[in-house]
Short mmCIF file of all heavy atoms in Angstrom, two decimals:
data_model
loop_
_atom_site.label_atom_id
_atom_site.label_comp_id
_atom_site.label_asym_id
_atom_site.label_seq_id
_atom_site.Cartn_x
_atom_site.Cartn_y
_atom_site.Cartn_z
N MET Y 1 -9.80 -6.85 -4.88
CA MET Y 1 -9.30 -6.20 -3.68
C MET Y 1 -8.95 -4.76 -4.00
O MET Y 1 -8.55 -4.45 -5.12
CB MET Y 1 -8.12 -6.98 -3.12
CG MET Y 1 -6.77 -6.65 -3.68
SD MET Y 1 -5.47 -7.63 -2.95
CE MET Y 1 -5.36 -8.90 -4.19
N ARG Y 2 -9.15 -3.90 -3.00
CA ARG Y 2 -8.83 -2.48 -3.16
C ARG Y 2 -7.96 -2.04 -2.00
O ARG Y 2 -8.11 -2.53 -0.88
CB ARG Y 2 -10.11 -1.64 -3.13
CG ARG Y 2 -10.93 -1.77 -4.37
CD ARG Y 2 -12.17 -0.91 -4.32
NE ARG Y 2 -13.06 -1.43 -3.26
CZ ARG Y 2 -13.77 -0.66 -2.45
NH1 ARG Y 2 -13.72 0.65 -2.54
NH2 ARG Y 2 -14.55 -1.20 -1.54
N LEU Y 3 -7.08 -1.12 -2.27
CA LEU Y 3 -6.21 -0.56 -1.24
C LEU Y 3 -6.61 0.87 -0.93
O LEU Y 3 -7.03 1.62 -1.82
CB LEU Y 3 -4.76 -0.55 -1.72
CG LEU Y 3 -4.02 -1.86 -1.64
CD1 LEU Y 3 -2.74 -1.77 -2.45
CD2 LEU Y 3 -3.73 -2.24 -0.22
N ARG Y 4 -6.43 1.24 0.31
CA ARG Y 4 -6.59 2.62 0.75
C ARG Y 4 -5.34 2.98 1.53
O ARG Y 4 -4.80 2.16 2.28
CB ARG Y 4 -7.81 2.78 1.66
CG ARG Y 4 -9.12 2.52 0.98
CD ARG Y 4 -9.48 3.71 0.10
NE ARG Y 4 -10.79 3.53 -0.50
CZ ARG Y 4 -11.01 3.33 -1.78
NH1 ARG Y 4 -10.01 3.26 -2.60
NH2 ARG Y 4 -12.22 3.19 -2.24
N ALA Y 5 -4.89 4.21 1.36
CA ALA Y 5 -3.71 4.69 2.09
C ALA Y 5 -4.05 6.01 2.76
O ALA Y 5 -4.58 6.92 2.12
CB ALA Y 5 -2.53 4.88 1.14
N ASP Y 6 -3.76 6.10 4.04
CA ASP Y 6 -3.98 7.31 4.81
C ASP Y 6 -2.65 8.07 4.89
O ASP Y 6 -1.80 7.76 5.72
CB ASP Y 6 -4.50 6.96 6.20
CG ASP Y 6 -4.84 8.17 7.03
OD1 ASP Y 6 -4.40 9.30 6.70
OD2 ASP Y 6 -5.56 7.99 8.03
N GLU Y 7 -2.48 9.04 4.01
CA GLU Y 7 -1.22 9.78 3.95
C GLU Y 7 -0.96 10.59 5.22
O GLU Y 7 0.19 10.85 5.56
CB GLU Y 7 -1.22 10.69 2.72
CG GLU Y 7 -1.22 9.90 1.42
CD GLU Y 7 -1.35 10.79 0.20
OE1 GLU Y 7 -0.93 11.96 0.25
OE2 GLU Y 7 -1.87 10.30 -0.81
N GLU Y 8 -2.01 10.96 5.91
CA GLU Y 8 -1.86 11.71 7.17
C GLU Y 8 -1.26 10.82 8.26
O GLU Y 8 -0.53 11.30 9.13
CB GLU Y 8 -3.22 12.23 7.64
CG GLU Y 8 -3.89 13.18 6.68
CD GLU Y 8 -3.34 14.59 6.80
OE1 GLU Y 8 -3.03 15.01 7.92
OE2 GLU Y 8 -3.23 15.24 5.75
N ARG Y 9 -1.59 9.56 8.22
CA ARG Y 9 -1.13 8.60 9.24
C ARG Y 9 0.25 8.02 8.92
O ARG Y 9 0.96 7.56 9.80
CB ARG Y 9 -2.17 7.50 9.35
CG ARG Y 9 -2.00 6.63 10.53
CD ARG Y 9 -3.20 5.72 10.66
NE ARG Y 9 -3.08 4.99 11.89
CZ ARG Y 9 -3.99 4.21 12.38
NH1 ARG Y 9 -5.13 4.07 11.73
NH2 ARG Y 9 -3.79 3.57 13.50
N CYS Y 10 0.62 8.02 7.66
CA CYS Y 10 1.88 7.42 7.20
C CYS Y 10 3.08 8.13 7.84
O CYS Y 10 3.12 9.36 7.92
CB CYS Y 10 1.96 7.53 5.68
SG CYS Y 10 3.48 6.87 4.98
N VAL Y 11 4.06 7.33 8.27
CA VAL Y 11 5.29 7.88 8.87
C VAL Y 11 6.47 7.80 7.91
O VAL Y 11 7.58 8.16 8.27
CB VAL Y 11 5.63 7.19 10.21
CG1 VAL Y 11 4.55 7.46 11.24
CG2 VAL Y 11 5.86 5.70 10.02
N GLY Y 12 6.24 7.31 6.69
CA GLY Y 12 7.29 7.28 5.68
C GLY Y 12 8.35 6.21 5.88
O GLY Y 12 9.46 6.35 5.39
N ALA Y 13 8.00 5.13 6.57
CA ALA Y 13 8.98 4.05 6.81
C ALA Y 13 9.38 3.33 5.53
O ALA Y 13 10.47 2.79 5.42
CB ALA Y 13 8.43 3.06 7.83
N GLY Y 14 8.49 3.29 4.55
CA GLY Y 14 8.81 2.69 3.25
C GLY Y 14 8.73 1.18 3.18
O GLY Y 14 9.15 0.59 2.19
N GLN Y 15 8.19 0.54 4.20
CA GLN Y 15 8.08 -0.92 4.18
C GLN Y 15 7.21 -1.40 3.02
O GLN Y 15 7.51 -2.42 2.39
CB GLN Y 15 7.50 -1.42 5.51
CG GLN Y 15 8.37 -1.15 6.71
CD GLN Y 15 9.72 -1.83 6.59
OE1 GLN Y 15 9.81 -3.02 6.28
NE2 GLN Y 15 10.76 -1.08 6.81
N CYS Y 16 6.16 -0.67 2.73
CA CYS Y 16 5.27 -1.05 1.64
C CYS Y 16 5.99 -0.95 0.29
O CYS Y 16 5.85 -1.83 -0.56
CB CYS Y 16 4.01 -0.21 1.65
SG CYS Y 16 4.29 1.58 1.55
N VAL Y 17 6.76 0.09 0.12
CA VAL Y 17 7.50 0.29 -1.14
C VAL Y 17 8.53 -0.81 -1.33
O VAL Y 17 8.69 -1.35 -2.42
CB VAL Y 17 8.17 1.68 -1.17
CG1 VAL Y 17 8.97 1.87 -2.44
CG2 VAL Y 17 7.14 2.78 -1.01
N TRP Y 18 9.20 -1.15 -0.26
CA TRP Y 18 10.19 -2.22 -0.32
C TRP Y 18 9.53 -3.55 -0.67
O TRP Y 18 10.05 -4.31 -1.48
CB TRP Y 18 10.91 -2.33 1.03
CG TRP Y 18 12.00 -3.34 1.02
CD1 TRP Y 18 13.25 -3.19 0.53
CD2 TRP Y 18 11.93 -4.67 1.52
NE1 TRP Y 18 13.97 -4.35 0.69
CE2 TRP Y 18 13.17 -5.28 1.30
CE3 TRP Y 18 10.92 -5.40 2.13
CZ2 TRP Y 18 13.44 -6.59 1.66
CZ3 TRP Y 18 11.19 -6.72 2.51
CH2 TRP Y 18 12.43 -7.28 2.27
N ALA Y 19 8.35 -3.81 -0.11
CA ALA Y 19 7.65 -5.08 -0.33
C ALA Y 19 7.01 -5.17 -1.71
O ALA Y 19 6.95 -6.24 -2.30
CB ALA Y 19 6.58 -5.27 0.75
N LEU Y 20 6.52 -4.04 -2.22
CA LEU Y 20 5.73 -4.09 -3.45
C LEU Y 20 5.86 -2.78 -4.24
O LEU Y 20 4.92 -1.98 -4.31
CB LEU Y 20 4.27 -4.35 -3.07
CG LEU Y 20 3.40 -5.10 -4.04
CD1 LEU Y 20 3.95 -6.47 -4.39
CD2 LEU Y 20 2.01 -5.26 -3.45
N PRO Y 21 7.00 -2.53 -4.85
CA PRO Y 21 7.23 -1.25 -5.53
C PRO Y 21 6.34 -1.01 -6.75
O PRO Y 21 6.21 0.12 -7.20
CB PRO Y 21 8.71 -1.31 -5.93
CG PRO Y 21 9.05 -2.76 -5.94
CD PRO Y 21 8.17 -3.42 -4.92
N GLU Y 22 5.71 -2.05 -7.26
CA GLU Y 22 4.80 -1.85 -8.39
C GLU Y 22 3.42 -1.35 -7.94
O GLU Y 22 2.61 -0.96 -8.77
CB GLU Y 22 4.66 -3.12 -9.24
CG GLU Y 22 4.07 -4.31 -8.52
CD GLU Y 22 5.10 -5.22 -7.86
OE1 GLU Y 22 6.15 -4.74 -7.43
OE2 GLU Y 22 4.83 -6.42 -7.78
N VAL Y 23 3.18 -1.34 -6.64
CA VAL Y 23 1.89 -0.89 -6.10
C VAL Y 23 2.03 0.38 -5.27
O VAL Y 23 1.15 1.23 -5.26
CB VAL Y 23 1.23 -2.01 -5.27
CG1 VAL Y 23 -0.03 -1.53 -4.58
CG2 VAL Y 23 0.94 -3.22 -6.14
N PHE Y 24 3.17 0.52 -4.58
CA PHE Y 24 3.39 1.65 -3.68
C PHE Y 24 4.64 2.44 -4.06
O PHE Y 24 5.62 1.87 -4.55
CB PHE Y 24 3.60 1.17 -2.24
CG PHE Y 24 2.51 0.31 -1.70
CD1 PHE Y 24 2.64 -1.07 -1.66
CD2 PHE Y 24 1.35 0.87 -1.20
CE1 PHE Y 24 1.64 -1.87 -1.14
CE2 PHE Y 24 0.34 0.09 -0.67
CZ PHE Y 24 0.48 -1.29 -0.65
N THR Y 25 4.60 3.73 -3.82
CA THR Y 25 5.79 4.56 -3.90
C THR Y 25 5.68 5.59 -2.78
O THR Y 25 4.73 5.56 -2.00
CB THR Y 25 5.96 5.21 -5.29
OG1 THR Y 25 7.26 5.79 -5.38
CG2 THR Y 25 4.91 6.27 -5.55
N GLN Y 26 6.66 6.47 -2.69
CA GLN Y 26 6.64 7.51 -1.68
C GLN Y 26 6.73 8.87 -2.34
O GLN Y 26 7.45 9.04 -3.32
CB GLN Y 26 7.80 7.34 -0.70
CG GLN Y 26 7.61 6.17 0.24
CD GLN Y 26 8.81 5.97 1.14
OE1 GLN Y 26 9.80 5.41 0.70
NE2 GLN Y 26 8.71 6.43 2.37
N SER Y 27 6.02 9.81 -1.78
CA SER Y 27 6.05 11.18 -2.28
C SER Y 27 7.46 11.75 -2.12
O SER Y 27 8.06 11.62 -1.06
CB SER Y 27 5.06 12.04 -1.48
OG SER Y 27 5.29 13.40 -1.70
N GLU Y 28 7.96 12.36 -3.16
CA GLU Y 28 9.28 12.99 -3.08
C GLU Y 28 9.26 14.19 -2.14
O GLU Y 28 10.26 14.52 -1.53
CB GLU Y 28 9.75 13.42 -4.47
CG GLU Y 28 10.12 12.25 -5.35
CD GLU Y 28 10.66 12.69 -6.69
OE1 GLU Y 28 11.13 13.84 -6.81
OE2 GLU Y 28 10.62 11.87 -7.61
N ARG Y 29 8.11 14.82 -2.02
CA ARG Y 29 7.98 16.01 -1.19
C ARG Y 29 7.84 15.67 0.30
O ARG Y 29 8.52 16.25 1.13
CB ARG Y 29 6.78 16.83 -1.64
CG ARG Y 29 6.64 18.18 -0.98
CD ARG Y 29 5.49 18.99 -1.55
NE ARG Y 29 4.21 18.35 -1.48
CZ ARG Y 29 3.45 18.31 -0.39
NH1 ARG Y 29 3.85 18.87 0.71
NH2 ARG Y 29 2.28 17.71 -0.42
N THR Y 30 6.96 14.70 0.62
CA THR Y 30 6.66 14.41 2.03
C THR Y 30 7.22 13.09 2.53
O THR Y 30 7.30 12.86 3.74
CB THR Y 30 5.14 14.40 2.27
OG1 THR Y 30 4.57 13.32 1.50
CG2 THR Y 30 4.52 15.73 1.90
N GLY Y 31 7.55 12.19 1.61
CA GLY Y 31 8.04 10.86 2.00
C GLY Y 31 6.93 9.89 2.37
O GLY Y 31 7.20 8.75 2.73
N THR Y 32 5.68 10.33 2.26
CA THR Y 32 4.57 9.46 2.63
C THR Y 32 4.12 8.60 1.46
O THR Y 32 4.47 8.85 0.31
CB THR Y 32 3.37 10.28 3.16
OG1 THR Y 32 2.97 11.21 2.15
CG2 THR Y 32 3.73 11.01 4.44
N VAL Y 33 3.35 7.59 1.78
CA VAL Y 33 2.90 6.60 0.80
C VAL Y 33 2.05 7.23 -0.30
O VAL Y 33 1.26 8.14 -0.06
CB VAL Y 33 2.12 5.46 1.49
CG1 VAL Y 33 0.83 5.96 2.11
CG2 VAL Y 33 1.85 4.31 0.54
N VAL Y 34 2.25 6.71 -1.50
CA VAL Y 34 1.44 7.06 -2.67
C VAL Y 34 1.07 5.73 -3.33
O VAL Y 34 1.95 4.90 -3.59
CB VAL Y 34 2.21 7.93 -3.68
CG1 VAL Y 34 1.39 8.17 -4.93
CG2 VAL Y 34 2.63 9.24 -3.03
N LEU Y 35 -0.22 5.53 -3.56
CA LEU Y 35 -0.67 4.31 -4.24
C LEU Y 35 -0.48 4.46 -5.73
O LEU Y 35 -0.93 5.44 -6.33
CB LEU Y 35 -2.14 4.05 -3.96
CG LEU Y 35 -2.52 3.56 -2.59
CD1 LEU Y 35 -4.04 3.40 -2.50
CD2 LEU Y 35 -1.85 2.25 -2.26
N LEU Y 36 0.19 3.49 -6.33
CA LEU Y 36 0.30 3.46 -7.79
C LEU Y 36 -0.87 2.70 -8.39
O LEU Y 36 -1.26 2.95 -9.52
CB LEU Y 36 1.61 2.79 -8.19
CG LEU Y 36 2.88 3.50 -7.75
CD1 LEU Y 36 4.10 2.66 -8.10
CD2 LEU Y 36 2.97 4.88 -8.38
N ARG Y 37 -1.40 1.74 -7.60
CA ARG Y 37 -2.53 0.93 -8.04
C ARG Y 37 -3.49 0.74 -6.88
O ARG Y 37 -3.15 0.06 -5.91
CB ARG Y 37 -2.07 -0.43 -8.54
CG ARG Y 37 -1.22 -0.34 -9.76
CD ARG Y 37 -1.00 -1.70 -10.37
NE ARG Y 37 -0.18 -1.51 -11.55
CZ ARG Y 37 0.80 -2.30 -11.89
NH1 ARG Y 37 1.08 -3.35 -11.17
NH2 ARG Y 37 1.49 -2.07 -12.97
N GLU Y 38 -4.66 1.29 -6.99
CA GLU Y 38 -5.68 1.10 -5.96
C GLU Y 38 -6.21 -0.33 -6.00
O GLU Y 38 -6.61 -0.88 -4.98
CB GLU Y 38 -6.83 2.09 -6.18
CG GLU Y 38 -7.87 2.03 -5.11
CD GLU Y 38 -8.97 3.04 -5.33
OE1 GLU Y 38 -8.67 4.22 -5.53
OE2 GLU Y 38 -10.14 2.62 -5.30
N ARG Y 39 -6.22 -0.92 -7.18
CA ARG Y 39 -6.68 -2.29 -7.35
C ARG Y 39 -5.53 -3.13 -7.91
O ARG Y 39 -5.40 -3.29 -9.13
CB ARG Y 39 -7.87 -2.35 -8.30
CG ARG Y 39 -9.12 -1.73 -7.71
CD ARG Y 39 -10.32 -2.00 -8.62
NE ARG Y 39 -11.54 -1.58 -8.02
CZ ARG Y 39 -12.30 -2.32 -7.22
NH1 ARG Y 39 -11.93 -3.54 -6.92
NH2 ARG Y 39 -13.41 -1.85 -6.72
N PRO Y 40 -4.69 -3.67 -7.04
CA PRO Y 40 -3.57 -4.48 -7.51
C PRO Y 40 -4.04 -5.81 -8.10
O PRO Y 40 -5.16 -6.26 -7.81
CB PRO Y 40 -2.73 -4.71 -6.25
CG PRO Y 40 -3.65 -4.46 -5.11
CD PRO Y 40 -4.70 -3.53 -5.59
N ALA Y 41 -3.20 -6.40 -8.90
CA ALA Y 41 -3.53 -7.68 -9.54
C ALA Y 41 -3.75 -8.76 -8.49
O ALA Y 41 -3.07 -8.80 -7.47
CB ALA Y 41 -2.40 -8.08 -10.48
N ARG Y 42 -4.71 -9.63 -8.74
CA ARG Y 42 -5.04 -10.72 -7.81
C ARG Y 42 -3.82 -11.57 -7.45
O ARG Y 42 -3.68 -12.00 -6.33
CB ARG Y 42 -6.12 -11.62 -8.41
CG ARG Y 42 -7.47 -11.02 -8.35
CD ARG Y 42 -8.20 -11.52 -7.12
NE ARG Y 42 -9.47 -10.82 -7.05
CZ ARG Y 42 -9.97 -10.34 -5.94
NH1 ARG Y 42 -9.32 -10.47 -4.82
NH2 ARG Y 42 -11.11 -9.73 -5.94
N GLU Y 43 -2.98 -11.81 -8.43
CA GLU Y 43 -1.82 -12.68 -8.17
C GLU Y 43 -0.82 -12.07 -7.19
O GLU Y 43 0.05 -12.76 -6.69
CB GLU Y 43 -1.13 -13.11 -9.46
CG GLU Y 43 -0.62 -11.99 -10.32
CD GLU Y 43 -1.65 -11.50 -11.34
OE1 GLU Y 43 -2.82 -11.88 -11.31
OE2 GLU Y 43 -1.22 -10.69 -12.19
N THR Y 44 -0.95 -10.80 -6.90
CA THR Y 44 -0.07 -10.16 -5.90
C THR Y 44 -0.71 -10.13 -4.51
O THR Y 44 -0.16 -9.53 -3.59
CB THR Y 44 0.29 -8.72 -6.32
OG1 THR Y 44 -0.89 -7.93 -6.36
CG2 THR Y 44 1.03 -8.68 -7.64
N GLY Y 45 -1.85 -10.78 -4.36
CA GLY Y 45 -2.62 -10.73 -3.13
C GLY Y 45 -1.83 -11.02 -1.86
O GLY Y 45 -1.94 -10.28 -0.87
N ASP Y 46 -1.03 -12.07 -1.85
CA ASP Y 46 -0.24 -12.41 -0.66
C ASP Y 46 0.78 -11.32 -0.33
O ASP Y 46 0.97 -10.97 0.83
CB ASP Y 46 0.46 -13.75 -0.82
CG ASP Y 46 -0.50 -14.93 -0.80
OD1 ASP Y 46 -1.63 -14.76 -0.29
OD2 ASP Y 46 -0.12 -16.01 -1.28
N ARG Y 47 1.41 -10.79 -1.36
CA ARG Y 47 2.39 -9.73 -1.14
C ARG Y 47 1.74 -8.43 -0.70
O ARG Y 47 2.29 -7.70 0.12
CB ARG Y 47 3.22 -9.52 -2.41
CG ARG Y 47 4.11 -10.74 -2.70
CD ARG Y 47 4.83 -10.68 -4.03
NE ARG Y 47 5.52 -9.43 -4.24
CZ ARG Y 47 5.69 -8.88 -5.44
NH1 ARG Y 47 5.22 -9.46 -6.51
NH2 ARG Y 47 6.34 -7.75 -5.56
N VAL Y 48 0.54 -8.14 -1.22
CA VAL Y 48 -0.20 -6.95 -0.79
C VAL Y 48 -0.56 -7.07 0.69
O VAL Y 48 -0.36 -6.14 1.47
CB VAL Y 48 -1.47 -6.75 -1.65
CG1 VAL Y 48 -2.38 -5.71 -1.04
CG2 VAL Y 48 -1.10 -6.38 -3.08
N ARG Y 49 -1.08 -8.24 1.07
CA ARG Y 49 -1.44 -8.46 2.48
C ARG Y 49 -0.22 -8.31 3.39
O ARG Y 49 -0.30 -7.72 4.47
CB ARG Y 49 -2.08 -9.82 2.65
CG ARG Y 49 -3.47 -9.90 2.09
CD ARG Y 49 -4.09 -11.30 2.25
NE ARG Y 49 -5.25 -11.42 1.40
CZ ARG Y 49 -5.22 -11.81 0.12
NH1 ARG Y 49 -4.09 -12.12 -0.48
NH2 ARG Y 49 -6.35 -11.88 -0.58
N ALA Y 50 0.91 -8.83 2.96
CA ALA Y 50 2.15 -8.72 3.75
C ALA Y 50 2.57 -7.25 3.88
O ALA Y 50 3.00 -6.81 4.95
CB ALA Y 50 3.26 -9.54 3.11
N ALA Y 51 2.45 -6.49 2.81
CA ALA Y 51 2.81 -5.07 2.85
C ALA Y 51 1.91 -4.30 3.81
O ALA Y 51 2.37 -3.45 4.57
CB ALA Y 51 2.75 -4.46 1.45
N VAL Y 52 0.62 -4.60 3.78
CA VAL Y 52 -0.33 -3.94 4.68
C VAL Y 52 0.01 -4.28 6.13
O VAL Y 52 0.04 -3.40 7.00
CB VAL Y 52 -1.78 -4.33 4.33
CG1 VAL Y 52 -2.75 -3.86 5.40
CG2 VAL Y 52 -2.16 -3.77 2.97
N ARG Y 53 0.30 -5.55 6.40
CA ARG Y 53 0.68 -5.97 7.77
C ARG Y 53 1.99 -5.33 8.22
O ARG Y 53 2.17 -5.05 9.40
CB ARG Y 53 0.80 -7.48 7.85
CG ARG Y 53 -0.51 -8.22 7.92
CD ARG Y 53 -0.32 -9.68 8.27
NE ARG Y 53 0.62 -10.38 7.41
CZ ARG Y 53 0.31 -11.02 6.29
NH1 ARG Y 53 -0.94 -11.06 5.88
NH2 ARG Y 53 1.23 -11.63 5.58
N ALA Y 54 2.90 -5.09 7.30
CA ALA Y 54 4.23 -4.55 7.64
C ALA Y 54 4.20 -3.05 7.93
O ALA Y 54 5.17 -2.52 8.48
CB ALA Y 54 5.21 -4.83 6.50
N CYS Y 55 3.12 -2.37 7.60
CA CYS Y 55 3.05 -0.92 7.79
C CYS Y 55 3.07 -0.59 9.29
O CYS Y 55 2.14 -0.94 10.01
CB CYS Y 55 1.78 -0.37 7.15
SG CYS Y 55 1.60 1.41 7.37
N PRO Y 56 4.12 0.08 9.77
CA PRO Y 56 4.24 0.35 11.20
C PRO Y 56 3.22 1.35 11.74
O PRO Y 56 2.94 1.36 12.93
CB PRO Y 56 5.66 0.87 11.36
CG PRO Y 56 6.01 1.43 10.04
CD PRO Y 56 5.27 0.60 9.03
N SER Y 57 2.67 2.17 10.87
CA SER Y 57 1.72 3.19 11.34
C SER Y 57 0.26 2.80 11.13
O SER Y 57 -0.64 3.52 11.56
CB SER Y 57 1.98 4.52 10.63
OG SER Y 57 1.71 4.38 9.25
N GLY Y 58 0.03 1.68 10.43
CA GLY Y 58 -1.35 1.28 10.14
C GLY Y 58 -2.03 2.17 9.12
O GLY Y 58 -3.24 2.30 9.11
N ALA Y 59 -1.24 2.78 8.25
CA ALA Y 59 -1.78 3.71 7.26
C ALA Y 59 -2.41 3.02 6.06
O ALA Y 59 -3.10 3.66 5.28
CB ALA Y 59 -0.67 4.65 6.77
N LEU Y 60 -2.19 1.72 5.94
CA LEU Y 60 -2.72 0.99 4.78
C LEU Y 60 -3.90 0.12 5.19
O LEU Y 60 -3.92 -0.47 6.27
CB LEU Y 60 -1.64 0.10 4.18
CG LEU Y 60 -0.39 0.82 3.70
CD1 LEU Y 60 0.64 -0.19 3.23
CD2 LEU Y 60 -0.73 1.79 2.59
N ARG Y 61 -4.88 0.06 4.29
CA ARG Y 61 -6.05 -0.77 4.54
C ARG Y 61 -6.37 -1.53 3.27
O ARG Y 61 -6.35 -0.96 2.16
CB ARG Y 61 -7.23 0.10 4.95
CG ARG Y 61 -8.42 -0.70 5.41
CD ARG Y 61 -9.44 0.22 6.04
NE ARG Y 61 -9.90 1.22 5.10
CZ ARG Y 61 -11.16 1.47 4.82
NH1 ARG Y 61 -12.11 0.81 5.40
NH2 ARG Y 61 -11.48 2.40 3.94
N LEU Y 62 -6.67 -2.81 3.41
CA LEU Y 62 -7.03 -3.66 2.29
C LEU Y 62 -8.51 -4.00 2.41
O LEU Y 62 -8.97 -4.45 3.47
CB LEU Y 62 -6.20 -4.94 2.29
CG LEU Y 62 -6.47 -5.92 1.19
CD1 LEU Y 62 -6.15 -5.33 -0.18
CD2 LEU Y 62 -5.68 -7.20 1.40
N ILE Y 63 -9.24 -3.78 1.33
CA ILE Y 63 -10.66 -4.09 1.28
C ILE Y 63 -10.81 -5.24 0.29
O ILE Y 63 -10.53 -5.07 -0.90
CB ILE Y 63 -11.48 -2.87 0.83
CG1 ILE Y 63 -11.23 -1.71 1.78
CG2 ILE Y 63 -12.96 -3.21 0.73
CD1 ILE Y 63 -11.54 -0.36 1.20
N GLU Y 64 -11.21 -6.39 0.80
CA GLU Y 64 -11.39 -7.56 -0.06
C GLU Y 64 -12.79 -7.49 -0.68
O GLU Y 64 -13.77 -7.37 0.03
CB GLU Y 64 -11.24 -8.84 0.76
CG GLU Y 64 -9.91 -8.98 1.45
CD GLU Y 64 -8.86 -9.70 0.66
OE1 GLU Y 64 -9.11 -10.12 -0.49
OE2 GLU Y 64 -7.75 -9.87 1.19
N ASP Y 65 -12.85 -7.56 -2.01
CA ASP Y 65 -14.14 -7.52 -2.71
C ASP Y 65 -14.74 -8.90 -2.80
O ASP Y 65 -14.10 -9.87 -2.90
CB ASP Y 65 -13.98 -6.96 -4.13
CG ASP Y 65 -13.48 -5.53 -4.11
OD1 ASP Y 65 -14.06 -4.70 -3.42
OD2 ASP Y 65 -12.49 -5.28 -4.81
#
């Protein structure tokens, strides 16, 4: 699985960071999402999907390989 983040669309709510801090963080300058891992570990799949669903702006996209 691969993640994509649209920093232009992100509103900085931080739901993804709260759900999965080992995969997402926020820019100190803009507060928008920053991917720490474009390809998160398979065992985090359920949590990744939950983080993507929780994004209020729809800035996150999950591509299942």
Side-chain angles (χ1 to χ4, degrees):
M1 86 180 96
R2 288 181 294 141
L3 281 166
R4 295 284 184 248
D6 184 343
E7 294 175 27
E8 299 279 323
R9 193 171 186 173
C10 179
V11 296
Q15 296 299 311
C16 57
V17 178
W18 184 80
L20 210 57
E22 63 269 31
V23 174
F24 305 100
T25 191
Q26 288 176 281
S27 166
E28 289 184 22
R29 188 175 57 81
T30 63
T32 58
V33 65
V34 175
L35 287 178
L36 297 174
R37 295 191 179 139
E38 184 178 308
R39 291 188 173 272
R42 284 264 175 223
E43 58 270 9
T44 63
D46 289 341
R47 292 173 51 211
V48 168
R49 287 179 195 87
V52 170
R53 283 192 306 270
C55 179
S57 65
L60 300 176
R61 188 169 60 128
L62 180 63
I63 302 159
E64 301 269 1
D65 298 308

